[in-house]
Amino acid sequence: MPRQVREASTKMGLRLLEIGAEVFPSAELELYRDLVTTGRAAGHQPLAFAVVARSLGVPLQEALAAYLFATATSLTQNAVRAIPLGQNAGQRVLRKAHDDVAAAVERVAHLTPDDFGAVIPGLEISQMRHERQRARMFMS
């Protein structure tokens, strides 16, 4: 992953752990937050989300669906501002995303550990190029 994406993910992960520990205190969250703050775990945002969900007893499929839909929502919000897409079109995109999220959750159920870490090289190359541009619309 490009440096910019890694750093953003760990900052968001730590913030999520801080909020989670305050709102939903648990021994699991405290332990993981301690590992992150002492540098023994990176604390990337998806992992922090998983620890929060697990500590709350959220079933895996529900946690995956919530995470994926939150990601779709975030990307749609960016598109509404950047394209501009428009609020109504953004809502239509999110409605359509429900079916895609359900399909993705189903697909994840059939993945193996060998699939962990699969990436889209073109996206990562674009992210690395973005990191070095003189002017950017959004900073990660």
Side-chain angles (χ1 to χ4, degrees):
M1 293 177 75
R3 179 185 54 83
Q4 182 182 26
V5 175
R6 287 191 317 269
E7 289 174 359
S9 179
T10 56
K11 285 178 185 176
M12 291 185 337
L14 181 56
R15 186 68 183 127
L16 178 58
L17 289 172
E18 290 168 352
I19 292 168
E22 183 178 324
V23 178
F24 307 111
S26 74
E28 292 170 304
L29 279 177
E30 287 300 323
L31 174 62
Y32 189 64
R33 188 171 70 161
D34 180 57
L35 291 171
V36 172
T37 57
T38 59
R40 293 178 285 165
H44 286 281
Q45 196 264 346
L47 297 175
F49 185 92
V51 172
V52 171
R54 173 79 179 188
S55 73
L56 292 170
V58 177
L60 176 60
Q61 288 189 323
E62 288 180 34
L64 282 171
Y67 184 81
L68 293 173
F69 192 76
T71 300
T73 300
S74 177
L75 292 171
T76 302
Q77 288 173 345
N78 288 342
V80 165
R81 289 189 303 263
I83 293 176
L85 182 64
Q87 292 294 328
N88 290 345
Q91 290 302 310
R92 286 191 298 274
V93 166
L94 290 176
R95 174 56 195 106
K96 169 72 172 82
H98 282 273
D99 299 333
D100 295 329
V101 164
V105 169
E106 177 62 28
R107 175 156 185 206
V108 166
H110 302 294
L111 297 178
T112 69
D114 290 338
D115 295 308
F116 186 73
V119 297
I120 304 168
L123 176 60
E124 290 194 354
I125 290 168
S126 293
Q127 290 169 335
M128 287 183 266
R129 287 179 179 152
H130 178 264
E131 180 178 355
R132 290 180 172 47
Q133 286 181 328
R134 269 191 29 210
R136 298 183 284 181
M137 185 176 289
F138 298 105
M139 298 294 285
S140 297

